[in-house]
Amino acid sequence: MNPYFIAGPYALRISCGARSDIHSPSNTLWYKDYAYTGGIPGNATLPSFISPKLRTLRYFPLSEGPENCYNINRIPHGHYSVRIFFGLVAEPSFDNEPLFDISVEGTLIYSMPTGWSNHTDERAFVEAFMFLKDGTASLCFHSTGHGDPAILAIEILQVDNKAYYFGPSYGPGVILRTDRRLSCGSRYPKFGVDYSAEHWGGDRFWNSIQTFGESSDRAISTTKSIKQASKSPNFYPEALYQTALISSESEPDLAYTAEVEPNRNYSIWLHFAEIDPSVTAAGQRIFDITINGDIAFRDVDIVGMAGGINSALVLNTTVALSGRTLTITMHPTKGTHAIINAIEIFELVMTASKTLQDEVRALQKLKTALRLPLRFGWNGDPCVPQQHPWSGVDCQYDRTISKYVIDGLGLDNQGLRGSLLEDISRLHHLQNINLSGNSLHGFIPSSLGTIASLEILDLSYNFFNGSIPERLGQLTALQRLYLNSNSLSGKVPAALGGRLLHRASFNFTDNKGLCGIPGLPTCGPHLSAGSKIGIGLGGCVAFLLLVTCLTCWWKRRQNILRAQRIAARDAHYAKARMHFSRDVQMTRHHSHEHARTADENGPSLLP
């Protein structure tokens, strides 16, 4: 079943490890986990009541590589809330709390903290708002050596293209990672679906908070309808504004403090609605808002700015924090109380520049051709996040195209047993290739001669056969070429031999069939591979003609001998018949003569 173009915004929910589509107790449809990734399905233990009520998960052993990804295709271009729920494998032998990093489309968005499974808050999942524009989403999990990544569920929910617009830098270059959401004055944490939230806002989680730690804080609530701005793209649930925290006269300031990561930028969203019955008109409650002591908003009058009581007001600002503490303070300047309904804090994450797609596809083909062991992984993007590049791959950022390119392959002594394809030339930024000490076989691709930037090529100690491609002589930047200890044959290209005069370092030893440069046997007339094939084919044709002629001669000889035997036998029969005829004639003649003599003498006279 295809969930991609159901009426309304795009929504895809995957129950990781599930073999069939299922409905959760809240009647939410979760699709089966099929053909998105590798890993191993298993039974799940839910770390938090926040987690979807699902029974399976998918985990990724380190033996299958340090990077494992869900690759989801056919996603319409747009703005999305991407949420990943973590799980615990329900087996005693597994680490109960794996720690790993999470990236989306090559951008690292979260590193799981120690103790995440012991909290009933946002640490049971990671959520980010981002633009997906390539029709795909790559969600990757990077092992850090602390247990196997285990994923319970994935949600990709489309939101309005202007949702959480925070200023000029808003757009595909920035991801908003949800740090926390607080529903002030609420008794219980809830998801947006529990509030009957509008789908375009995504199914957001709101944690509850009934005090900021001040003894005088108190929660208030209302059942009255809350009016929101009709053009707001965020579509907040109405119930969000029906509870609030309010300060007291003795301690009029209302302050909230959170621990954050240092040296980051944060987008802060503050929600207000005047639901206090004691305030009935504009100007009765005015306060300043400071962030870490600096004025962020001055003279905030909720009724005046929202257009009336029981009307929502949303304020947003972006701050750069160097320390680990974020303190938001509401300080009354008129009236004796401050009030707030909800707080949202997002970390602004700059999207990483990805690797040139053609080179990523070339590496994937090379992975198959070389028969790369599973432990290498090679999933996701080879160069980003920069904290988790592919093993054996060197990257360089090309400012002219704003992409990463591959400039080195270092896979020496890795037990590779495959071969090299001509497609390796698609990695046309390579400067260094080291595949020595493996068991690679087949011909050396002539297309290597088109990688103009190649400086080092080491294919030594393998089982390559055939001749050295003439096109390698075109590599003017080549400084080191090691082809020793293979099964190569033929003449070393003259252009390569000439490079020895320019202080290049080449090694062709231990190839019994190579010749043509000092240190190797002298060659006879050198024939190209095409000429050798032509001679071979000509020899085959000549041999077939010789066999045909000999066969024809032998058959003709047999026919002649058979004819001679038949002729000899016929001659013998003819001679015998001649003698017989003569004897018959002589016998007849003698009988005739005897009869004539008797007649002449008359009858015999007997007594």
Side-chain angles (χ1 to χ4, degrees):
M1 184 176 180
N2 189 335
Y4 304 121
F5 292 104
I6 298 174
Y10 174 100
L12 173 64
R13 292 179 171 90
I14 301 173
S15 176
C16 299
R19 297 182 179 180
S20 59
D21 299 343
I22 61 174
H23 285 82
S24 65
S26 62
N27 204 35
T28 301
L29 175 61
W30 295 84
Y31 290 96
K32 65 182 177 181
D33 185 3
Y34 177 72
Y36 294 114
T37 186
I40 302 173
N43 295 323
T45 296
L46 305 183
S48 169
F49 76 92
I50 295 172
S51 306
K53 303 303 183 284
L54 304 171
R55 298 180 179 180
T56 61
L57 51 65
R58 186 173 292 273
Y59 65 95
F60 302 93
L62 185 58
S63 60
E64 294 194 4
E67 299 92 26
N68 289 276
C69 306
Y70 269 79
N71 297 303
I72 303 169
N73 300 317
R74 299 167 60 192
I75 297 179
H77 173 85
H79 192 204
Y80 290 87
S81 164
V82 177
R83 187 156 52 202
I84 302 168
F85 288 91
F86 313 127
L88 300 173
V89 179
E91 292 185 24
S93 60
F94 280 80
D95 189 331
N96 286 331
E97 189 181 70
L99 304 179
F100 52 95
D101 293 345
I102 299 96
S103 68
V104 179
E105 289 294 285
T107 300
L108 184 68
I109 61 170
Y110 193 58
S111 296
M112 298 182 67
T114 302
W116 66 266
S117 61
N118 299 321
H119 291 77
T120 57
D121 58 14
E122 292 91 340
R123 276 171 277 195
F125 65 91
V126 61
E127 178 188 77
F129 290 85
M130 66 187 66
F131 286 88
L132 298 175
K133 57 183 180 178
D134 296 328
T136 64
S138 179
L139 286 60
C140 297
F141 316 107
H142 309 272
S143 297
T144 59
H146 302 280
D148 299 330
I151 308 302
L152 179 71
I154 293 173
E155 289 183 302
I156 300 179
L157 309 174
Q158 191 172 14
V159 298
D160 191 275
N161 283 341
K162 289 294 184 179
Y164 293 108
Y165 179 86
F166 58 84
S169 60
Y170 178 90
V174 179
I175 295 173
L176 274 73
R177 183 191 65 81
T178 305
D179 184 82
R180 69 197 68 198
R181 286 193 183 91
L182 299 174
S183 179
C184 302
S186 177
R187 185 178 297 273
Y188 303 108
K190 294 182 178 181
F191 280 98
V193 69
D194 300 317
Y195 289 126
S196 300
E198 173 66 38
H199 289 296
W200 277 101
D203 187 15
R204 290 163 287 188
F205 172 75
W206 298 87
N207 210 342
S208 60
I209 186 167
Q210 290 192 289
T211 177
F212 284 158
E214 301 292 340
S215 59
S216 57
D217 293 353
R218 61 188 176 92
I220 62 173
S221 63
T222 183
T223 58
K224 294 182 179 180
S225 179
I226 304 296
K227 180 181 178 182
Q228 297 191 54
S230 59
K231 295 183 179 180
S232 172
N234 293 341
F235 294 101
Y236 294 103
E238 182 181 36
L240 183 68
Y241 297 98
Q242 291 177 326
T243 62
L245 281 177
I246 191 169
S247 64
S248 65
E249 294 184 8
S250 59
E251 295 184 15
D253 286 359
L254 196 59
Y256 170 71
T257 299
E259 184 177 337
V260 295
E261 291 295 323
N263 304 313
R264 310 285 176 89
N265 293 329
Y266 290 88
S267 179
I268 300 172
W269 297 73
L270 306 174
H271 299 265
F272 304 94
E274 191 54 82
I275 61 173
D276 184 357
S278 66
V279 176
T280 58
Q284 294 181 6
R285 188 198 312 273
I286 300 175
F287 54 89
D288 294 338
I289 301 175
T290 64
I291 298 178
N292 283 3
D294 297 325
I295 292 288
F297 301 97
R298 190 182 296 276
D299 297 331
V300 175
D301 181 353
I302 299 173
V303 176
M305 297 170 70
I309 61 172
N310 299 321
S311 296
L313 171 67
V314 182
L315 300 178
N316 165 245
T317 188
T318 300
V319 295
L321 300 179
S322 57
R324 293 184 174 273
T325 301
L326 168 66
T327 300
I328 303 170
T329 303
M330 279 66 67
H331 174 69
T333 58
K334 188 173 183 181
T336 56
H337 305 283
I339 189 173
I340 189 168
N341 299 77
I343 300 173
E344 293 179 285
I345 302 173
F346 299 94
E347 180 189 347
L348 300 185
V349 181
M350 302 301 294
T351 57
S353 297
K354 299 172 70 175
T355 305
L356 196 64
Q357 194 58 36
D358 190 51
E359 299 203 357
V360 177
R361 287 191 287 265
L363 281 177
Q364 292 289 2
K365 286 191 174 183
L366 189 65
K367 171 183 176 180
T368 302
L370 294 177
R371 296 168 60 183
L372 203 68
L374 279 176
R375 58 185 166 81
F376 276 86
W378 276 30
N379 297 304
D381 191 292
C383 301
V384 290
Q386 289 183 305
Q387 298 89 336
H388 300 282
W390 287 4
S391 177
V393 175
D394 296 328
C395 301
Q396 183 178 29
Y397 185 69
D398 189 333
R399 296 184 181 276
T400 61
I401 58 175
S402 300
K403 297 281 186 181
Y404 281 94
V405 296
I406 310 303
D407 68 347
L409 289 175
L411 296 170
D412 50 307
N413 300 301
Q414 296 299 330
L416 308 181
R417 298 181 178 275
S419 58
L420 276 179
L421 300 178
E422 295 287 345
D423 277 351
I424 194 172
S425 63
R426 292 167 61 185
L427 300 170
H428 55 270
H429 295 91
L430 283 173
Q431 298 178 23
N432 179 9
I433 300 175
N434 187 354
L435 299 175
S436 63
N438 291 292
S439 298
L440 301 176
H441 57 271
F443 295 109
I444 296 176
S446 63
S447 63
L448 284 171
T450 66
I451 307 177
S453 57
L454 196 59
E455 299 176 1
I456 300 173
L457 177 59
D458 190 350
L459 304 179
S460 60
Y461 297 98
N462 280 286
F463 297 101
F464 288 108
N465 53 38
S467 59
I468 299 175
E470 291 282 348
R471 296 174 75 178
L472 291 187
Q474 301 174 8
L475 297 174
T476 57
L478 194 63
Q479 292 299 313
R480 282 182 277 174
L481 175 62
Y482 302 138
L483 302 178
N484 50 296
S485 300
N486 280 283
S487 299
L488 300 172
S489 59
K491 185 177 181 179
V492 175
L496 287 177
R499 297 295 310 285
L500 294 173
L501 302 176
H502 299 277
R503 297 184 179 180
S505 175
F506 293 170
N507 191 341
F508 303 112
T509 61
D510 199 14
N511 286 280
K512 293 182 180 179
L514 283 181
C515 59
I517 63 171
L520 296 177
T522 303
C523 294
H526 177 66
L527 297 175
S528 66
S531 299
K532 291 178 181 179
I533 292 172
I535 291 173
L537 291 174
C540 291
V541 171
F543 177 74
L544 289 174
L545 287 174
L546 179 60
V547 170
T548 302
C549 291
L550 288 173
T551 302
C552 292
W553 175 84
W554 182 81
K555 287 185 176 182
R556 181 177 177 82
R557 177 65 178 168
Q558 293 299 313
N559 290 336
I560 293 171
L561 292 175
R562 185 163 54 250
Q564 288 176 346
R565 286 196 298 270
I566 292 172
R569 184 182 61 192
D570 290 347
H572 174 72
Y573 289 156
K575 183 177 181 180
R577 282 195 300 271
M578 183 180 67
H579 285 296
F580 176 75
S581 298
R582 187 181 63 188
D583 291 344
V584 170
Q585 289 176 1
M586 290 179 66
T587 301
R588 287 178 179 175
H589 178 73
H590 177 74
S591 298
H592 178 71
E593 288 292 332
H594 179 74
R596 189 178 63 182
T597 303
D599 288 342
E600 290 175 354
N601 294 330
S604 62
L605 299 178
L606 295 177

mmCIF file of all heavy atoms in Angstrom, residues 104-107 132-134 136-138 351-357 360 380-384 396-398 401-405:
data_model
loop_
_atom_site.group_PDB
_atom_site.id
_atom_site.type_symbol
_atom_site.label_atom_id
_atom_site.label_comp_id
_atom_site.label_asym_id
_atom_site.label_seq_id
_atom_site.Cartn_x
_atom_site.Cartn_y
_atom_site.Cartn_z
ATOM 1 N N VAL A 104 20.230 13.266 9.399
ATOM 2 C CA VAL A 104 19.188 13.264 8.380
ATOM 3 C C VAL A 104 19.734 14.001 7.167
ATOM 4 O O VAL A 104 20.202 15.134 7.284
ATOM 5 C CB VAL A 104 17.895 13.929 8.879
ATOM 6 C CG1 VAL A 104 16.834 13.929 7.785
ATOM 7 C CG2 VAL A 104 17.369 13.216 10.119
ATOM 8 N N GLU A 105 19.708 13.340 6.024
ATOM 9 C CA GLU A 105 20.232 13.925 4.793
ATOM 10 C C GLU A 105 21.665 14.435 4.967
ATOM 11 O O GLU A 105 22.033 15.495 4.474
ATOM 12 C CB GLU A 105 19.325 15.047 4.301
ATOM 13 C CG GLU A 105 17.986 14.582 3.753
ATOM 14 C CD GLU A 105 18.160 13.763 2.472
ATOM 15 O OE1 GLU A 105 18.441 14.350 1.428
ATOM 16 O OE2 GLU A 105 18.024 12.527 2.524
ATOM 17 N N GLY A 106 22.459 13.666 5.714
ATOM 18 C CA GLY A 106 23.864 13.993 5.887
ATOM 19 C C GLY A 106 24.170 14.999 6.979
ATOM 20 O O GLY A 106 25.342 15.269 7.238
ATOM 21 N N THR A 107 23.155 15.543 7.637
ATOM 22 C CA THR A 107 23.372 16.544 8.687
ATOM 23 C C THR A 107 23.166 15.915 10.056
ATOM 24 O O THR A 107 22.106 15.343 10.333
ATOM 25 C CB THR A 107 22.409 17.730 8.526
ATOM 26 O OG1 THR A 107 22.636 18.347 7.255
ATOM 27 C CG2 THR A 107 22.625 18.765 9.618
ATOM 28 N N LEU A 132 12.716 18.837 2.480
ATOM 29 C CA LEU A 132 13.190 17.700 1.689
ATOM 30 C C LEU A 132 12.883 18.015 0.234
ATOM 31 O O LEU A 132 11.719 18.197 -0.131
ATOM 32 C CB LEU A 132 12.490 16.414 2.120
ATOM 33 C CG LEU A 132 12.728 15.991 3.576
ATOM 34 C CD1 LEU A 132 11.895 14.770 3.927
ATOM 35 C CD2 LEU A 132 14.202 15.724 3.836
ATOM 36 N N LYS A 133 13.916 18.071 -0.584
ATOM 37 C CA LYS A 133 13.738 18.559 -1.947
ATOM 38 C C LYS A 133 14.204 17.589 -3.027
ATOM 39 O O LYS A 133 14.027 17.850 -4.207
ATOM 40 C CB LYS A 133 14.470 19.889 -2.129
ATOM 41 C CG LYS A 133 15.962 19.827 -1.821
ATOM 42 C CD LYS A 133 16.614 21.189 -1.947
ATOM 43 C CE LYS A 133 18.100 21.121 -1.643
ATOM 44 N NZ LYS A 133 18.762 22.438 -1.813
ATOM 45 N N ASP A 134 14.804 16.459 -2.650
ATOM 46 C CA ASP A 134 15.328 15.525 -3.650
ATOM 47 C C ASP A 134 14.422 14.323 -3.863
ATOM 48 O O ASP A 134 14.789 13.389 -4.566
ATOM 49 C CB ASP A 134 16.722 15.039 -3.236
ATOM 50 C CG ASP A 134 17.734 16.169 -3.195
ATOM 51 O OD1 ASP A 134 17.579 17.106 -3.997
ATOM 52 O OD2 ASP A 134 18.657 16.114 -2.372
ATOM 53 N N THR A 136 13.728 12.182 -1.646
ATOM 54 C CA THR A 136 14.177 11.101 -0.771
ATOM 55 C C THR A 136 14.469 11.643 0.619
ATOM 56 O O THR A 136 14.625 12.861 0.813
ATOM 57 C CB THR A 136 15.454 10.431 -1.303
ATOM 58 O OG1 THR A 136 16.524 11.395 -1.303
ATOM 59 C CG2 THR A 136 15.248 9.893 -2.709
ATOM 60 N N ALA A 137 14.543 10.726 1.569
ATOM 61 C CA ALA A 137 14.999 11.062 2.917
ATOM 62 C C ALA A 137 15.926 9.950 3.384
ATOM 63 O O ALA A 137 15.559 8.774 3.350
ATOM 64 C CB ALA A 137 13.825 11.210 3.872
ATOM 65 N N SER A 138 17.135 10.320 3.780
ATOM 66 C CA SER A 138 18.111 9.368 4.288
ATOM 67 C C SER A 138 18.304 9.627 5.772
ATOM 68 O O SER A 138 18.822 10.671 6.171
ATOM 69 C CB SER A 138 19.438 9.506 3.535
ATOM 70 O OG SER A 138 20.399 8.611 4.040
ATOM 71 N N THR A 351 22.450 22.964 7.547
ATOM 72 C CA THR A 351 22.512 21.722 6.776
ATOM 73 C C THR A 351 23.902 21.541 6.171
ATOM 74 O O THR A 351 24.534 22.497 5.721
ATOM 75 C CB THR A 351 21.463 21.709 5.655
ATOM 76 O OG1 THR A 351 21.661 22.851 4.815
ATOM 77 C CG2 THR A 351 20.061 21.739 6.214
ATOM 78 N N ALA A 352 24.356 20.314 6.182
ATOM 79 C CA ALA A 352 25.670 20.006 5.631
ATOM 80 C C ALA A 352 25.609 19.923 4.112
ATOM 81 O O ALA A 352 24.620 19.457 3.541
ATOM 82 C CB ALA A 352 26.177 18.683 6.202
ATOM 83 N N SER A 353 26.664 20.403 3.462
ATOM 84 C CA SER A 353 26.792 20.208 2.012
ATOM 85 C C SER A 353 27.052 18.733 1.742
ATOM 86 O O SER A 353 27.931 18.129 2.355
ATOM 87 C CB SER A 353 27.938 21.058 1.452
ATOM 88 O OG SER A 353 27.666 22.427 1.633
ATOM 89 N N LYS A 354 26.310 18.155 0.828
ATOM 90 C CA LYS A 354 26.403 16.720 0.572
ATOM 91 C C LYS A 354 27.477 16.413 -0.471
ATOM 92 O O LYS A 354 28.064 17.310 -1.074
ATOM 93 C CB LYS A 354 25.039 16.201 0.140
ATOM 94 C CG LYS A 354 23.965 16.399 1.208
ATOM 95 C CD LYS A 354 22.577 16.072 0.703
ATOM 96 C CE LYS A 354 22.407 14.593 0.469
ATOM 97 N NZ LYS A 354 21.019 14.244 0.097
ATOM 98 N N THR A 355 27.721 15.138 -0.671
ATOM 99 C CA THR A 355 28.708 14.688 -1.652
ATOM 100 C C THR A 355 28.070 14.659 -3.035
ATOM 101 O O THR A 355 26.875 14.357 -3.175
ATOM 102 C CB THR A 355 29.225 13.291 -1.283
ATOM 103 O OG1 THR A 355 29.715 13.337 0.067
ATOM 104 C CG2 THR A 355 30.343 12.845 -2.208
ATOM 105 N N LEU A 356 28.873 14.968 -4.049
ATOM 106 C CA LEU A 356 28.403 14.936 -5.430
ATOM 107 C C LEU A 356 27.744 13.583 -5.703
ATOM 108 O O LEU A 356 28.359 12.534 -5.528
ATOM 109 C CB LEU A 356 29.590 15.158 -6.372
ATOM 110 C CG LEU A 356 29.279 15.537 -7.820
ATOM 111 C CD1 LEU A 356 28.574 16.885 -7.889
ATOM 112 C CD2 LEU A 356 30.574 15.577 -8.628
ATOM 113 N N GLN A 357 26.480 13.618 -6.133
ATOM 114 C CA GLN A 357 25.684 12.403 -6.208
ATOM 115 C C GLN A 357 26.268 11.375 -7.170
ATOM 116 O O GLN A 357 26.205 10.169 -6.916
ATOM 117 C CB GLN A 357 24.248 12.745 -6.617
ATOM 118 C CG GLN A 357 23.254 11.626 -6.416
ATOM 119 C CD GLN A 357 23.176 11.130 -4.979
ATOM 120 O OE1 GLN A 357 23.285 11.905 -4.042
ATOM 121 N NE2 GLN A 357 23.017 9.834 -4.802
ATOM 122 N N VAL A 360 28.805 9.445 -5.352
ATOM 123 C CA VAL A 360 28.214 8.521 -4.375
ATOM 124 C C VAL A 360 27.769 7.240 -5.077
ATOM 125 O O VAL A 360 28.024 6.127 -4.597
ATOM 126 C CB VAL A 360 27.020 9.178 -3.659
ATOM 127 C CG1 VAL A 360 26.356 8.181 -2.703
ATOM 128 C CG2 VAL A 360 27.464 10.408 -2.884
ATOM 129 N N GLY A 380 24.584 5.748 3.442
ATOM 130 C CA GLY A 380 24.364 7.179 3.617
ATOM 131 C C GLY A 380 25.274 7.984 2.718
ATOM 132 O O GLY A 380 25.543 7.629 1.576
ATOM 133 N N ASP A 381 25.781 9.097 3.248
ATOM 134 C CA ASP A 381 26.684 9.968 2.499
ATOM 135 C C ASP A 381 28.118 9.696 2.924
ATOM 136 O O ASP A 381 28.407 9.623 4.123
ATOM 137 C CB ASP A 381 26.325 11.443 2.753
ATOM 138 C CG ASP A 381 27.046 12.395 1.816
ATOM 139 O OD1 ASP A 381 28.281 12.528 1.937
ATOM 140 O OD2 ASP A 381 26.383 13.004 0.959
ATOM 141 N N PRO A 382 29.054 9.544 1.976
ATOM 142 C CA PRO A 382 30.423 9.170 2.350
ATOM 143 C C PRO A 382 31.192 10.242 3.116
ATOM 144 O O PRO A 382 32.153 9.913 3.821
ATOM 145 C CB PRO A 382 31.091 8.879 1.003
ATOM 146 C CG PRO A 382 30.270 9.586 -0.015
ATOM 147 C CD PRO A 382 28.873 9.594 0.512
ATOM 148 N N CYS A 383 30.794 11.505 2.975
ATOM 149 C CA CYS A 383 31.600 12.596 3.547
ATOM 150 C C CYS A 383 30.945 13.312 4.718
ATOM 151 O O CYS A 383 31.640 13.972 5.501
ATOM 152 C CB CYS A 383 31.924 13.617 2.454
ATOM 153 S SG CYS A 383 32.833 12.918 1.046
ATOM 154 N N VAL A 384 29.631 13.239 4.827
ATOM 155 C CA VAL A 384 28.922 13.926 5.911
ATOM 156 C C VAL A 384 27.945 12.960 6.562
ATOM 157 O O VAL A 384 27.440 12.048 5.891
ATOM 158 C CB VAL A 384 28.182 15.175 5.386
ATOM 159 C CG1 VAL A 384 29.164 16.252 4.987
ATOM 160 C CG2 VAL A 384 27.246 14.838 4.229
ATOM 161 N N GLN A 396 37.020 15.907 0.024
ATOM 162 C CA GLN A 396 37.490 17.288 -0.101
ATOM 163 C C GLN A 396 36.315 18.161 -0.519
ATOM 164 O O GLN A 396 35.510 17.756 -1.378
ATOM 165 C CB GLN A 396 38.616 17.386 -1.128
ATOM 166 C CG GLN A 396 39.219 18.778 -1.259
ATOM 167 C CD GLN A 396 40.356 18.806 -2.262
ATOM 168 O OE1 GLN A 396 40.383 18.031 -3.213
ATOM 169 N NE2 GLN A 396 41.308 19.699 -2.068
ATOM 170 N N TYR A 397 36.199 19.335 0.083
ATOM 171 C CA TYR A 397 35.090 20.227 -0.248
ATOM 172 C C TYR A 397 35.460 21.070 -1.462
ATOM 173 O O TYR A 397 36.493 21.739 -1.482
ATOM 174 C CB TYR A 397 34.761 21.138 0.935
ATOM 175 C CG TYR A 397 33.545 22.006 0.701
ATOM 176 C CD1 TYR A 397 32.270 21.440 0.630
ATOM 177 C CD2 TYR A 397 33.676 23.380 0.535
ATOM 178 C CE1 TYR A 397 31.156 22.216 0.408
ATOM 179 C CE2 TYR A 397 32.556 24.173 0.318
ATOM 180 C CZ TYR A 397 31.304 23.586 0.257
ATOM 181 O OH TYR A 397 30.197 24.370 0.034
ATOM 182 N N ASP A 398 34.631 21.009 -2.467
ATOM 183 C CA ASP A 398 34.852 21.771 -3.697
ATOM 184 C C ASP A 398 33.978 23.024 -3.652
ATOM 185 O O ASP A 398 32.753 22.952 -3.811
ATOM 186 C CB ASP A 398 34.488 20.916 -4.916
ATOM 187 C CG ASP A 398 34.912 21.566 -6.236
ATOM 188 O OD1 ASP A 398 34.999 22.806 -6.276
ATOM 189 O OD2 ASP A 398 35.123 20.833 -7.226
ATOM 190 N N ILE A 401 31.489 24.082 -6.635
ATOM 191 C CA ILE A 401 30.178 23.446 -6.813
ATOM 192 C C ILE A 401 29.442 23.276 -5.483
ATOM 193 O O ILE A 401 28.332 22.751 -5.445
ATOM 194 C CB ILE A 401 30.316 22.075 -7.502
ATOM 195 C CG1 ILE A 401 31.228 21.147 -6.685
ATOM 196 C CG2 ILE A 401 30.845 22.229 -8.911
ATOM 197 C CD1 ILE A 401 31.315 19.732 -7.234
ATOM 198 N N SER A 402 30.071 23.716 -4.379
ATOM 199 C CA SER A 402 29.477 23.606 -3.038
ATOM 200 C C SER A 402 29.088 22.171 -2.703
ATOM 201 O O SER A 402 28.020 21.915 -2.130
ATOM 202 C CB SER A 402 28.254 24.535 -2.911
ATOM 203 O OG SER A 402 28.628 25.872 -3.112
ATOM 204 N N LYS A 403 29.944 21.241 -3.076
ATOM 205 C CA LYS A 403 29.732 19.827 -2.800
ATOM 206 C C LYS A 403 31.049 19.203 -2.358
ATOM 207 O O LYS A 403 32.133 19.710 -2.671
ATOM 208 C CB LYS A 403 29.229 19.097 -4.050
ATOM 209 C CG LYS A 403 27.876 19.546 -4.575
ATOM 210 C CD LYS A 403 26.737 18.959 -3.779
ATOM 211 C CE LYS A 403 25.393 19.301 -4.402
ATOM 212 N NZ LYS A 403 24.267 18.755 -3.604
ATOM 213 N N TYR A 404 30.920 18.090 -1.651
ATOM 214 C CA TYR A 404 32.104 17.296 -1.351
ATOM 215 C C TYR A 404 32.398 16.358 -2.524
ATOM 216 O O TYR A 404 31.474 15.898 -3.211
ATOM 217 C CB TYR A 404 31.904 16.472 -0.083
ATOM 218 C CG TYR A 404 32.081 17.266 1.195
ATOM 219 C CD1 TYR A 404 30.989 17.835 1.838
ATOM 220 C CD2 TYR A 404 33.344 17.457 1.752
ATOM 221 C CE1 TYR A 404 31.138 18.576 2.997
ATOM 222 C CE2 TYR A 404 33.513 18.192 2.922
ATOM 223 C CZ TYR A 404 32.404 18.746 3.538
ATOM 224 O OH TYR A 404 32.567 19.480 4.688
ATOM 225 N N VAL A 405 33.679 16.098 -2.749
ATOM 226 C CA VAL A 405 34.101 15.149 -3.777
ATOM 227 C C VAL A 405 35.061 14.151 -3.133
ATOM 228 O O VAL A 405 35.628 14.398 -2.063
ATOM 229 C CB VAL A 405 34.785 15.854 -4.969
ATOM 230 C CG1 VAL A 405 33.799 16.766 -5.683
ATOM 231 C CG2 VAL A 405 36.019 16.631 -4.521
#
